[in-house]
Amino acid sequence: MCRIAGLIHRYQTPSEADMIRMRDAMQRGGPDDAGIYVNDTHHIALGHRRLSLLDLSPAGHQPMHSADGRVVLVFNGEIYNFRELRSTLQTMGYAFHTGTDTEVILYAYLAWGNDCWAKLEGMFALAIVDFNIQNLVLVRDHAGIKPLYYSISEEQLVFASEIRAFKALQPHWPENTDWRKYFYYSVTCPSR
């Protein structure tokens, strides 16, 4: 199952304590491991709760970084065709150090950029930060099976797998009273 969370602030680095509160509010969805990543230069914090299914070793720890540090990823879900993608990427010269689908996503992004999302078969929600182009991408599978909630304002972007993470960050988080309509629209009209 796993869980992901993130904070990006325009003016200041999110606190490690805020990210830990958000991440740990979702502990039941990822009881096996927990990780955070905080970048002072880019004012970003990422959190992950892990449910170990594929590679049970510590090598599957997230947030996961590319070997050159260009990209960092948090991922929730399962990629059904990751073995085929891994094989293709290996023929392109990418070396793998884990048996996880997470690492496959990381190198698929490096190989194909945003075109890689169409190659992923599975259920997933993820956030990937590319420091070379100073870009964050939030991605969900086409059917929206894995939840990914977000809030954006002039000062910050907050995202998480569960609403409880928002409440852990700010106990009096204002509820959008139209949430049902947006949820219904995104579930019933995924192609729009």
Side-chain angles (χ1 to χ4, degrees), residues 81-101:
N81 64 332
F82 83 96
R83 288 180 181 85
E84 295 85 4
L85 291 171
R86 179 185 172 119
S87 179
T88 300
L89 290 162
Q90 284 174 319
T91 64
M92 295 170 67
Y94 289 94
F96 290 84
H97 306 287
T98 75
T100 66
D101 47 0

Side-chain angles (χ1 to χ4, degrees), residues 70-71 89 92 94 104-120 126 128 130 133 135 137 139:
R70 169 187 164 188
V71 174
L89 290 162
M92 295 170 67
Y94 289 94
V104 171
I105 296 168
L106 198 65
Y107 291 111
Y109 174 80
L110 288 174
W112 300 303
N114 284 321
D115 292 337
C116 76
W117 314 129
K119 298 177 185 302
L120 303 181
L126 63 89
I128 191 162
D130 185 334
I133 59 172
N135 197 33
V137 180
V139 182

Side-chain angles (χ1 to χ4, degrees), residues 45-100:
L46 300 173
H48 186 263
R49 294 291 321 187
R50 182 178 181 207
L51 176 65
S52 303
L53 294 175
L54 294 175
D55 183 336
L56 306 181
S57 77
H61 180 77
Q62 292 186 49
M64 189 175 282
H65 308 260
S66 59
D68 62 2
R70 169 187 164 188
V71 174
V72 62
L73 167 73
V74 287
F75 162 66
N76 170 25
E78 183 178 356
I79 305 303
Y80 307 138
N81 64 332
F82 83 96
R83 288 180 181 85
E84 295 85 4
L85 291 171
R86 179 185 172 119
S87 179
T88 300
L89 290 162
Q90 284 174 319
T91 64
M92 295 170 67
Y94 289 94
F96 290 84
H97 306 287
T98 75
T100 66

Side-chain angles (χ1 to χ4, degrees), residues 1 54 68-69 121 175 186 189:
M1 288 182 40
L54 294 175
D68 62 2
E121 297 173 10
E175 179 180 340
S186 70
C189 303

